[in-house]
Amino acid sequence: MQPVTDLISEAYAVLDANDRMDYTQPAAELYPHQWLWDSCFIAIGLRHRNIQRAQQEVLSLLRGQWHNGMLPNIIFSDEDRYERDRNLWRSQVSPLSPTGVSTTGITQPPLLAEAIVRIGELLKPDDRREWYKRVYPALLKYHSWLYRERDPHKEGLVLLIHPWEVGMDNTPPWMAELQDHQLSWWIRSIKQVHGDKLIDLFRRDTRKVPLKERFDTIEVLALFDIERRLRRKNYDIERILDHSMFAIEDVAFNSILVRNNTLLAQIAKSIKEKLPGDLEESMKQSSSAFEQLWDQENGSYYSRDFITHRLLKQPSISSMLALYSGAVPPDRAKVLLKSLAAQAQYASRYPIPTVPLNSEWFRADNYWQGPSWVNINWLIIDGLKRYGFLKEAAKIRELTLNMITNQGCYEYFNPVDGTGIGTPNFSWTAALGIDLMLNPIAVSSNHP
Ligand code: GLC
């Protein structure tokens, strides 16, 4: 691909090409439906050109909301050719699924409040209040659902039941759990007779992107197997947890939740709404419960097994997302900053690698096991800014923009040589590229 001469117009062209009128596809062909966290990031970019269109992106997400408050990670396109995708999940098996749309039965990182506030920032005060009032009931219902269903022991940390929920599908801590405990007998048999090589031929993603840049097929089969088991229980969390397969309190997801709780509280305050007492209680508990994920020995936060409370110590970028939560005490934030600045770990030439360079899991071109992703950089930049680490935030911003300018709006980038990999014309890279470009960071007042 040609280097991008005008990043903003190139990025808007990507968003226009992926525009489906009321929502934006993450990438045409490869990801044809509406995804939850993608649309939040996309709205953050779209707001700079057309605020109504950005609002529409968020409102479209709400049509997928389940009666219990869950926002699904995917709302399926109703085109005939995607019947197979809709049938795989069959959301109608649950009486709680929304009417008139097909969705999955799981969620994705809760960035809705972030998208709502970023849109609100660009509205006049009256319009902003009107906007907040319009979306507040659905937002409140979503956060209440997260605690009610996903924090059954009232610990202040919410659990996830599928790696797709964290949005970093093959991130090492989850893959290690999968390999150790979760492979069904039939997947183990396929592995033994190398049947996965045959199945490779039928994969849709690897028709668009080389196999070495994606999951291996055994892992894909395992993910669909978990999905099938969730569907068989009609996505009923009590039945799922009763016979739990995977239940992980993910550090990245909980970091995002904690920050978005703060934004939810700001929204409520500005429209003079009072948050329900039990939700407020859970939100408070979350900020302190977060400390239980800290591991003094390695100077890092980790995800945790819901049942045993064992920390999952495979290093990954999820640990660094604690900076976005705002819940980390400043001395711990400095420890994380050291890892970000260490050349053996996260300070690659084209940061930020999703797995540290010195980890045995690191693979420069494999999906969430090494490549740098623009959405993760955006979240960490935002966290660093709020801690006052402006110099570091400015550097990551500049290097992120360089990657996009040199290569185009790729899905992810090789953190060592900066090559764009995954699918080209990826929407959140475009949207967040625009947002980073339009928000320079002044470093003169750096007081960490
Ligand atoms: C991949 C990513 C996920 C994203 C989706 C659509 O599955 O891992 O985070 O939401 O694609 O872009």
Side-chain angles (χ1 to χ4, degrees):
M1 183 168 283
Q2 289 291 310
V4 175
T5 45
D6 177 355
L7 187 146
I8 296 211
S9 52
E10 174 95 14
Y12 278 129
V14 168
L15 292 174
D16 287 341
N18 293 340
D19 191 351
R20 290 295 164 273
M21 301 294 279
D22 49 5
Y23 77 92
T24 311
Q25 297 173 323
E29 306 292 328
L30 185 57
Y31 306 117
H33 314 292
Q34 182 173 23
W35 264 260
L36 176 53
W37 76 333
D38 294 67
S39 276
C40 294
F41 292 126
I42 290 163
I44 290 170
L46 284 176
R47 71 187 169 136
H48 295 291
R49 185 177 63 173
N50 180 343
I51 201 109
Q52 277 92 18
R53 180 62 188 79
Q55 289 174 310
Q56 184 54 52
E57 191 75 26
V58 167
L59 294 172
S60 290
L61 282 174
L62 306 186
R63 76 202 152 105
Q65 187 159 40
W66 283 39
H67 301 311
N68 58 1
M70 184 186 76
L71 289 173
N73 73 329
I74 305 175
I75 303 173
F76 293 110
S77 153
D78 57 11
E79 280 180 61
D80 290 347
R81 60 187 164 141
Y82 299 122
E83 196 182 344
R84 204 183 66 174
D85 297 5
R86 293 190 293 270
N87 273 343
L88 195 70
W89 284 89
R90 257 175 277 140
S91 47
Q92 327 71 269
V93 297
S94 167
L96 299 169
S97 64
T99 16
V101 279
S102 292
T103 75
T104 61
I106 56 170
T107 193
Q108 235 184 2
L111 276 154
L112 191 68
E114 179 77 80
I116 291 169
V117 167
R118 296 289 170 156
I119 291 172
E121 277 173 5
L122 301 189
L123 290 168
K124 295 198 198 89
D126 281 353
D127 295 340
R128 181 184 315 139
R129 273 189 293 273
E130 202 182 300
W131 166 237
Y132 286 174
K133 280 187 185 152
R134 186 161 178 202
V135 286
Y136 177 73
L139 180 65
L140 180 64
K141 219 170 145 192
Y142 180 44
H143 281 241
S144 303
W145 169 80
L146 279 165
Y147 284 106
R148 198 178 56 246
E149 292 225 334
R150 298 305 186 85
D151 182 17
H153 296 166
K154 303 253 167 287
E155 295 174 307
L157 295 168
V158 303
L159 61 88
L160 303 185
I161 51 176
H162 196 294
W164 283 329
E165 292 199 300
V166 69
M168 296 182 238
D169 312 13
N170 68 341
T171 187
W174 281 83
M175 287 306 104
E177 289 300 291
L178 190 74
Q179 299 283 355
D180 285 355
H181 309 288
Q182 307 292 337
L183 292 186
S184 296
W185 64 268
W186 62 273
I187 300 180
R188 286 183 202 278
S189 319
I190 292 178
K191 196 173 172 184
Q192 263 164 17
V193 299
H194 303 293
D196 46 328
K197 300 288 166 287
L198 181 68
I199 297 167
D200 284 350
L201 301 174
F202 297 99
R203 287 177 58 178
R204 179 162 79 191
D205 61 339
T206 49
R207 268 179 251 154
K208 308 275 170 215
V209 175
L211 183 59
K212 70 178 172 63
E213 294 174 15
R214 309 301 272 195
F215 275 107
D216 80 38
T217 290
I218 291 298
E219 287 166 345
V220 172
L221 288 177
L223 295 192
F224 280 103
D225 184 44
I226 302 171
E227 184 276 321
R228 191 178 53 101
R229 290 194 255 168
L230 299 177
R231 189 186 65 222
R232 281 194 178 161
K233 297 187 177 200
N234 295 355
Y235 308 111
D236 175 337
I237 195 70
E238 276 180 28
R239 290 178 63 201
I240 292 167
L241 290 181
D242 192 33
H243 216 86
S244 166
M245 309 143 309
F246 245 147
I248 290 176
E249 295 163 334
D250 185 273
V251 63
F253 192 98
N254 279 282
S255 301
I256 291 174
L257 176 59
V258 167
R259 171 65 186 152
N260 279 261
N261 282 338
T262 308
L263 297 171
L264 165 66
Q266 277 172 23
I267 293 172
K269 192 165 170 218
S270 73
I271 55 171
K272 302 196 172 27
E273 286 282 350
K274 173 117 188 58
L275 291 172
D278 52 346
L279 177 62
E280 243 184 352
E281 200 42 50
S282 295
M283 282 163 51
K284 255 197 231 136
Q285 214 190 354
S286 272
S287 307
S288 46
F290 207 79
E291 281 312 287
Q292 296 168 20
L293 304 180
W294 177 254
D295 177 57
Q296 185 62 33
E297 192 188 337
N298 293 303
S300 183
Y301 291 89
Y302 292 115
S303 299
R304 183 170 86 169
D305 183 288
F306 167 65
I307 307 285
T308 62
H309 280 192
R310 174 176 48 92
L311 292 178
L312 312 180
K313 296 195 185 173
Q314 291 75 16
S316 81
I317 196 68
S318 297
S319 303
M320 295 297 131
L321 279 172
L323 286 164
Y324 172 75
S325 73
V328 172
D331 53 329
R332 300 237 163 112
K334 279 196 186 145
V335 177
L336 297 183
L337 194 66
K338 263 201 190 144
S339 295
L340 270 186
Q343 282 193 353
Q345 296 183 61
Y346 292 100
S348 66
R349 189 144 173 233
Y350 296 91
I352 308 167
T354 36
V355 166
L357 303 179
N358 59 3
S359 157
E360 54 176 352
W361 284 85
F362 176 80
R363 280 144 82 199
D365 52 10
N366 189 280
Y367 217 25
W368 293 98
Q369 295 187 357
S372 301
W373 289 70
V374 171
N375 66 330
I376 299 297
N377 289 10
W378 188 93
L379 292 168
I380 290 178
I381 291 169
D382 186 66
L384 290 172
K385 275 162 63 178
R386 280 184 278 112
Y387 277 102
F389 298 132
L390 300 180
K391 209 164 47 141
E392 293 77 4
K395 187 166 171 207
I396 298 171
R397 171 185 174 271
E398 191 191 319
L399 293 172
T400 308
L401 288 172
N402 284 350
M403 288 192 288
I404 308 175
T405 315
N406 292 341
Q407 298 282 306
C409 295
Y410 272 87
E411 189 179 6
Y412 37 98
F413 297 86
N414 179 315
V416 179
D417 66 14
T419 311
I421 37 182
T423 180
N425 305 321
F426 189 63
S427 294
W428 82 41
T429 302
L432 297 176
I434 294 167
D435 192 65
L436 289 174
M437 189 74 179
L438 297 178
N439 283 296
I441 301 167
V443 287
S444 50
S445 53
N446 204 4
H447 318 282

mmCIF file of all heavy atoms in Angstrom, residues 26 31 35 37-38 108 167 169 367-368 426 428, ligand 1:
data_model
loop_
_atom_site.group_PDB
_atom_site.id
_atom_site.type_symbol
_atom_site.label_atom_id
_atom_site.label_comp_id
_atom_site.label_asym_id
_atom_site.label_seq_id
_atom_site.Cartn_x
_atom_site.Cartn_y
_atom_site.Cartn_z
ATOM 1 N N PRO A 26 -16.708 -3.206 10.762
ATOM 2 C CA PRO A 26 -15.274 -3.104 11.096
ATOM 3 C C PRO A 26 -14.398 -3.222 9.844
ATOM 4 O O PRO A 26 -13.418 -2.510 9.686
ATOM 5 C CB PRO A 26 -15.059 -4.272 12.052
ATOM 6 C CG PRO A 26 -16.406 -4.490 12.687
ATOM 7 C CD PRO A 26 -17.417 -4.191 11.611
ATOM 8 N N TYR A 31 -15.507 -8.658 8.379
ATOM 9 C CA TYR A 31 -16.373 -8.396 9.541
ATOM 10 C C TYR A 31 -17.585 -7.594 9.071
ATOM 11 O O TYR A 31 -17.624 -6.362 9.213
ATOM 12 C CB TYR A 31 -15.628 -7.584 10.601
ATOM 13 C CG TYR A 31 -14.300 -8.160 11.055
ATOM 14 C CD1 TYR A 31 -13.113 -7.452 10.845
ATOM 15 C CD2 TYR A 31 -14.232 -9.376 11.733
ATOM 16 C CE1 TYR A 31 -11.888 -7.955 11.288
ATOM 17 C CE2 TYR A 31 -13.016 -9.884 12.164
ATOM 18 C CZ TYR A 31 -11.850 -9.169 11.943
ATOM 19 O OH TYR A 31 -10.653 -9.666 12.383
ATOM 20 N N TRP A 35 -20.190 -4.599 15.488
ATOM 21 C CA TRP A 35 -19.522 -5.081 16.701
ATOM 22 C C TRP A 35 -19.569 -3.996 17.768
ATOM 23 O O TRP A 35 -19.447 -2.786 17.454
ATOM 24 C CB TRP A 35 -18.058 -5.412 16.408
ATOM 25 C CG TRP A 35 -17.767 -6.856 16.111
ATOM 26 C CD1 TRP A 35 -17.259 -7.774 16.980
ATOM 27 C CD2 TRP A 35 -17.935 -7.560 14.865
ATOM 28 N NE1 TRP A 35 -17.108 -8.998 16.356
ATOM 29 C CE2 TRP A 35 -17.516 -8.897 15.072
ATOM 30 C CE3 TRP A 35 -18.403 -7.196 13.602
ATOM 31 C CZ2 TRP A 35 -17.547 -9.863 14.067
ATOM 32 C CZ3 TRP A 35 -18.434 -8.148 12.601
ATOM 33 C CH2 TRP A 35 -18.011 -9.470 12.832
ATOM 34 N N TRP A 37 -17.535 -3.014 20.646
ATOM 35 C CA TRP A 37 -16.485 -2.030 20.964
ATOM 36 C C TRP A 37 -15.982 -1.338 19.705
ATOM 37 O O TRP A 37 -15.552 -0.193 19.745
ATOM 38 C CB TRP A 37 -15.413 -2.562 21.908
ATOM 39 C CG TRP A 37 -14.343 -3.514 21.438
ATOM 40 C CD1 TRP A 37 -14.407 -4.400 20.416
ATOM 41 C CD2 TRP A 37 -13.042 -3.659 22.045
ATOM 42 N NE1 TRP A 37 -13.235 -5.116 20.356
ATOM 43 C CE2 TRP A 37 -12.380 -4.682 21.342
ATOM 44 C CE3 TRP A 37 -12.369 -3.055 23.105
ATOM 45 C CZ2 TRP A 37 -11.084 -5.097 21.668
ATOM 46 C CZ3 TRP A 37 -11.080 -3.467 23.437
ATOM 47 C CH2 TRP A 37 -10.444 -4.472 22.723
ATOM 48 N N ASP A 38 -16.094 -2.027 18.544
ATOM 49 C CA ASP A 38 -15.719 -1.362 17.291
ATOM 50 C C ASP A 38 -16.557 -0.099 17.107
ATOM 51 O O ASP A 38 -16.025 0.977 16.805
ATOM 52 C CB ASP A 38 -15.955 -2.280 16.087
ATOM 53 C CG ASP A 38 -15.052 -3.496 16.087
ATOM 54 O OD1 ASP A 38 -15.216 -4.353 16.973
ATOM 55 O OD2 ASP A 38 -14.165 -3.582 15.210
ATOM 56 N N GLN A 108 -18.947 -7.589 25.022
ATOM 57 C CA GLN A 108 -17.585 -7.128 24.691
ATOM 58 C C GLN A 108 -17.252 -5.953 25.608
ATOM 59 O O GLN A 108 -18.149 -5.434 26.277
ATOM 60 C CB GLN A 108 -17.545 -6.686 23.217
ATOM 61 C CG GLN A 108 -16.490 -7.383 22.399
ATOM 62 C CD GLN A 108 -16.379 -6.898 20.969
ATOM 63 O OE1 GLN A 108 -17.074 -5.987 20.538
ATOM 64 N NE2 GLN A 108 -15.503 -7.517 20.220
ATOM 65 N N GLY A 167 -12.493 -9.271 23.581
ATOM 66 C CA GLY A 167 -12.169 -8.575 22.333
ATOM 67 C C GLY A 167 -10.754 -8.855 21.849
ATOM 68 O O GLY A 167 -10.382 -8.486 20.752
ATOM 69 N N ASP A 169 -9.141 -11.859 21.102
ATOM 70 C CA ASP A 169 -9.578 -13.253 21.010
ATOM 71 C C ASP A 169 -8.548 -14.313 21.414
ATOM 72 O O ASP A 169 -8.892 -15.270 22.062
ATOM 73 C CB ASP A 169 -10.051 -13.563 19.580
ATOM 74 C CG ASP A 169 -11.011 -12.510 19.045
ATOM 75 O OD1 ASP A 169 -11.134 -11.436 19.642
ATOM 76 O OD2 ASP A 169 -11.629 -12.763 17.996
ATOM 77 N N TYR A 367 -1.988 -11.732 15.337
ATOM 78 C CA TYR A 367 -3.248 -11.280 15.948
ATOM 79 C C TYR A 367 -3.033 -10.599 17.305
ATOM 80 O O TYR A 367 -2.389 -9.568 17.374
ATOM 81 C CB TYR A 367 -4.136 -12.524 16.042
ATOM 82 C CG TYR A 367 -5.602 -12.336 15.795
ATOM 83 C CD1 TYR A 367 -6.108 -11.298 15.039
ATOM 84 C CD2 TYR A 367 -6.516 -13.254 16.335
ATOM 85 C CE1 TYR A 367 -7.487 -11.181 14.829
ATOM 86 C CE2 TYR A 367 -7.877 -13.151 16.119
ATOM 87 C CZ TYR A 367 -8.354 -12.103 15.376
ATOM 88 O OH TYR A 367 -9.705 -12.002 15.176
ATOM 89 N N TRP A 368 -3.543 -11.190 18.409
ATOM 90 C CA TRP A 368 -3.408 -10.552 19.728
ATOM 91 C C TRP A 368 -2.226 -11.131 20.500
ATOM 92 O O TRP A 368 -2.158 -11.019 21.709
ATOM 93 C CB TRP A 368 -4.707 -10.725 20.522
ATOM 94 C CG TRP A 368 -5.862 -9.963 19.922
ATOM 95 C CD1 TRP A 368 -6.832 -10.465 19.112
ATOM 96 C CD2 TRP A 368 -6.169 -8.559 20.065
ATOM 97 N NE1 TRP A 368 -7.719 -9.463 18.750
ATOM 98 C CE2 TRP A 368 -7.344 -8.295 19.321
ATOM 99 C CE3 TRP A 368 -5.565 -7.494 20.750
ATOM 100 C CZ2 TRP A 368 -7.931 -7.021 19.246
ATOM 101 C CZ3 TRP A 368 -6.143 -6.235 20.677
ATOM 102 C CH2 TRP A 368 -7.308 -6.016 19.930
ATOM 103 N N PHE A 426 -9.422 -1.001 7.898
ATOM 104 C CA PHE A 426 -10.073 -1.415 9.140
ATOM 105 C C PHE A 426 -10.624 -0.164 9.833
ATOM 106 O O PHE A 426 -9.910 0.811 10.068
ATOM 107 C CB PHE A 426 -9.054 -2.144 10.018
ATOM 108 C CG PHE A 426 -9.647 -2.802 11.225
ATOM 109 C CD1 PHE A 426 -10.580 -3.827 11.089
ATOM 110 C CD2 PHE A 426 -9.272 -2.418 12.500
ATOM 111 C CE1 PHE A 426 -11.127 -4.453 12.209
ATOM 112 C CE2 PHE A 426 -9.811 -3.038 13.620
ATOM 113 C CZ PHE A 426 -10.741 -4.057 13.481
ATOM 114 N N TRP A 428 -11.747 0.819 12.980
ATOM 115 C CA TRP A 428 -11.335 1.551 14.183
ATOM 116 C C TRP A 428 -9.943 2.159 14.044
ATOM 117 O O TRP A 428 -9.637 3.167 14.677
ATOM 118 C CB TRP A 428 -11.549 0.777 15.470
ATOM 119 C CG TRP A 428 -10.547 -0.257 15.921
ATOM 120 C CD1 TRP A 428 -9.169 -0.195 15.882
ATOM 121 C CD2 TRP A 428 -10.844 -1.512 16.572
ATOM 122 N NE1 TRP A 428 -8.617 -1.316 16.444
ATOM 123 C CE2 TRP A 428 -9.606 -2.130 16.885
ATOM 124 C CE3 TRP A 428 -12.027 -2.152 16.939
ATOM 125 C CZ2 TRP A 428 -9.527 -3.379 17.522
ATOM 126 C CZ3 TRP A 428 -11.942 -3.384 17.585
ATOM 127 C CH2 TRP A 428 -10.706 -4.001 17.865
HETATM 128 C C1 GLC B 1 -11.857 -9.499 15.905
HETATM 129 C C2 GLC B 1 -11.249 -8.771 17.099
HETATM 130 C C3 GLC B 1 -12.342 -8.114 17.934
HETATM 131 C C4 GLC B 1 -13.151 -7.186 17.025
HETATM 132 C C5 GLC B 1 -13.682 -7.938 15.807
HETATM 133 C C6 GLC B 1 -14.314 -7.008 14.783
HETATM 134 O O1 GLC B 1 -12.648 -10.553 16.342
HETATM 135 O O2 GLC B 1 -10.491 -9.640 17.876
HETATM 136 O O3 GLC B 1 -11.804 -7.373 18.994
HETATM 137 O O4 GLC B 1 -14.187 -6.597 17.741
HETATM 138 O O5 GLC B 1 -12.651 -8.606 15.156
HETATM 139 O O6 GLC B 1 -13.390 -6.024 14.390
#
